[in-house]
Amino acid sequence: MQTKVVKFGGSSLADAKQFVKVADIIRADESRRFVVPSAPGKRYPKDTKVTDMLYACYDLAARGGDFSEMFEAIVARYMDIVRELGLKLEDRLTRELSNIRMSFLARAGRDYAASRGEYLNGLILAEYLGFAFVDAADVIHFGEDGKLRLAETCHAVKERVEQVGNAVIPGFYGSMPNDTVKTFSRGGSDITGSIVAAAVGADLYENWTDISGYLVCDPRIVPDPEPVGIITYRELRELAYMGAQVFHEDAIFPVRQAGIPINIKNTNRPADEGTMIVETAPEDTSPYVITGIAGKRGFVTVTIEKDMMNAELGFGRKVLEVFENNGISFEHMPSGIDTLSVIVHKDEFEAKEDKIIRSLEIETAPDKIDIDRDVALLAVVGRGMRAQRGTAARIFAALAHAKVNVKMIDQGSSELNVIVGVRNEDFETSVKAVYDIFVTQKL
Ligand code: ASP
């Protein structure tokens, strides 16, 4: 029999109604054996996620404030779910919640506080499904340096879940060597799901959320963009890095290493196919040449100009060292014969600007340094580009047509993406123009 690991995001488990949908999905396929839940998310747009309530409540407790009212609001979220599902779990939950309250008073830490959202949801879901509950703190291990110990963790997960046929393992947290709880970064239940899938050697990692997978671009820019049926891990890395956020970036590595595909699915529309994330896909399975468009505003280009730069051995290294020594990683580095530009995040750069410029002057003795603070980057990504001539021509024709001035171009030699720098105010127009030419017009 196949084994699937299924992770459900916060909106999929926001209230009892959603729990019923989740249980229906799990029961519809007996290979869905290992379940990783998030904490209850938003029930409606202005609602607050339980994780955010826990952070706020703990912060108040840590300041010595009266956090009773906030805590009761969290208690109510869980009690409502348990009651509406008709589970006999109220006594257990009352005990758990009173322990959590005591731990808040004892300053157990923000990570511990936030992790309780997933922990409690996991207890409820396990009871509702009749699955075993495996506390993530017992099997997901971080090292002293705060980094995940993947091999050790996979071993522990495998050993534990092999003893039970089906299990619920809460997402988002694990434990440090001294047994304190540590969480991943926000949205980290995706990572737990990926680890569990790798550990049990799953055939598929299903990641259930509230949208039917990736869309070609941000629906806030283009209404109702086309869905992406298949995307490779590399394409996803490019798009996720540039802002397409459906799935936590760090969640890719464990399953990718283990060769397990991911299927992004919609809990509210389970019949939709969603997006399959795979290691390799034929170039012609992408219907529009491009797979996706993503991007971000808020970059700065620092251009260093110096006569005969090209003859000066080590010039690039010296420039990059200045950024490195200031803890700034660079995004792109387009260059000319006597100029070299470094593109960095505006916020990070401006916080250290004076120091960086001074060091650049000392280390590289430039003729001139120019700073352009009005840069947005657009990533046009697609495995289909390699097999097609004229992709770049179409991108730039579309931008020219939309009267967008292109400031920078960078095409990775893998021919998987073209990065374009434009003015911040041209960002949305650019996304629309590229979408229109490839997807709407299918040119
Ligand atoms: N509940 C956590 C968050 O809101 C983790 C997750 O949902 O994946 O970030």
Side-chain angles (χ1 to χ4, degrees):
M1 189 183 50
Q2 281 209 332
T3 297
K4 290 181 189 160
V5 169
V6 287
K7 179 257 167 179
F8 289 89
S11 56
S12 300
L13 292 163
D15 57 21
K17 213 167 66 259
Q18 293 298 91
F19 265 72
V20 173
K21 289 186 196 168
V22 164
D24 285 345
I25 290 167
I26 295 168
R27 290 184 186 129
D29 178 350
E30 59 178 24
S31 65
R32 293 183 176 131
R33 291 170 51 207
F34 303 111
V35 184
V36 175
S38 286
K42 293 184 181 190
R43 294 160 293 184
Y44 43 87
K46 291 230 160 84
D47 199 12
T48 310
K49 290 169 126 195
V50 164
T51 308
D52 291 316
M53 296 168 88
L54 285 162
Y55 277 126
C57 185
Y58 182 78
D59 289 345
L60 182 58
R63 288 197 302 271
D66 177 4
F67 62 97
S68 308
E69 204 176 309
M70 276 180 151
F71 198 80
E72 281 316 309
I74 297 166
V75 172
R77 290 284 306 254
Y78 287 106
M79 287 302 181
D80 282 352
I81 295 174
V82 167
R83 257 180 241 129
E84 279 178 49
L85 292 177
L87 296 175
K88 292 199 176 28
L89 206 60
E90 287 181 33
D91 290 349
R92 167 87 194 264
L93 221 52
T94 307
R95 275 199 311 279
E96 292 283 352
L97 284 157
S98 120
N99 281 342
I100 295 170
R101 189 175 219 289
M102 301 296 278
S103 305
F104 275 33
L105 285 168
R107 309 269 201 279
R110 280 190 108 225
D111 279 19
Y112 164 81
S115 75
R116 296 305 87 186
E118 272 68 12
Y119 173 80
L120 294 171
N121 236 18
L123 282 178
I124 299 172
L125 189 59
E127 175 76 15
Y128 188 46
L129 293 168
F131 283 16
F133 174 79
V134 173
D135 188 352
D138 295 339
V139 286
I140 309 266
H141 299 297
F142 293 95
E144 288 297 356
D145 56 1
K147 295 212 173 93
L148 174 74
R149 293 278 173 269
L150 185 60
E152 190 187 313
T153 293
C154 282
H155 184 74
V157 171
K158 188 166 190 290
E159 207 174 58
R160 178 63 69 91
V161 302
E162 262 172 4
Q163 300 161 17
V164 290
N166 302 289
V168 173
I169 306 126
F172 192 38
Y173 69 94
S175 59
M176 294 290 289
N178 66 1
D179 283 341
T180 54
V181 166
K182 177 172 166 53
T183 61
F184 293 109
S185 56
R186 295 300 302 267
S189 299
D190 286 343
I191 308 174
T192 311
S194 179
I195 294 168
V196 174
V200 303
D203 298 282
L204 184 65
Y205 171 26
E206 285 181 345
N207 193 286
W208 292 81
T209 173
D210 53 5
I211 49 171
S212 298
Y214 280 86
L215 301 170
V216 172
C217 70
D218 188 336
R220 287 166 301 187
I221 300 179
V222 173
D224 251 340
E226 288 295 316
V228 176
I230 301 176
I231 187 168
T232 65
Y233 286 121
R234 289 185 54 216
E235 289 174 314
L236 182 64
R237 279 281 292 157
E238 300 281 350
L239 288 172
Y241 187 69
M242 287 301 286
Q245 273 167 358
V246 174
F247 188 66
H248 196 299
E249 261 189 87
D250 297 346
I252 294 174
F253 296 106
V255 269
R256 185 177 181 183
Q257 257 182 8
I260 301 166
I262 307 166
N263 193 187
I264 309 283
K265 298 272 286 175
N266 188 346
T267 301
N268 305 317
R269 296 172 60 102
D272 286 0
E273 298 209 338
T275 302
M276 278 298 277
I277 309 171
V278 295
E279 180 64 43
T280 53
E283 282 156 7
D284 56 9
T285 49
S286 165
Y288 315 109
V289 182
I290 63 163
T291 302
I293 312 161
K296 285 184 197 162
R297 293 190 178 83
F299 293 92
V300 162
T301 306
V302 182
T303 301
I304 301 134
E305 214 177 292
K306 188 176 185 184
D307 253 356
M308 303 300 287
M309 174 191 290
N310 66 329
E312 195 177 322
L313 204 64
F315 191 88
R317 178 182 48 75
K318 282 185 219 152
V319 169
L320 291 184
E321 232 165 42
V322 169
F323 286 91
E324 183 183 344
N325 293 342
N326 283 283
I328 304 235
S329 65
F330 74 99
E331 299 298 311
H332 298 279
M333 195 177 60
S335 62
I337 300 281
D338 290 332
T339 64
L340 191 153
S341 300
V342 182
I343 301 182
V344 288
H345 284 274
K346 188 164 189 256
D347 297 349
E348 288 175 24
F349 171 74
E350 287 186 344
K352 294 173 180 167
E353 178 169 343
D354 291 346
K355 215 168 139 226
I356 294 172
I357 299 299
R358 231 177 302 122
S359 310
L360 282 173
E361 276 162 355
I362 296 167
E363 298 299 327
T364 68
D367 295 336
K368 199 165 131 206
I369 298 179
D370 267 336
I371 300 175
D372 179 351
R373 297 171 200 278
D374 181 15
V375 183
L377 294 178
L378 195 76
V380 186
V381 176
R383 61 186 179 278
M385 287 182 188
R386 210 174 347 212
Q388 284 270 340
R389 266 169 299 154
T391 308
R394 273 174 281 168
I395 295 172
F396 297 112
L399 294 175
H401 216 78
K403 300 194 168 38
V404 171
N405 176 37
V406 172
K407 293 182 175 224
M408 189 276 298
I409 304 166
D410 191 356
Q411 175 177 351
S413 51
S414 59
E415 292 186 61
L416 188 71
N417 62 349
V418 177
I419 308 280
V420 186
V422 298
R423 288 193 313 188
N424 284 314
E425 66 173 31
D426 287 338
F427 177 64
E428 295 203 351
T429 310
S430 307
V431 174
K432 282 186 194 141
V434 176
Y435 182 88
D436 185 57
I437 198 157
F438 285 101
V439 183
T440 314
Q441 302 190 45
K442 281 203 179 159
L443 282 179

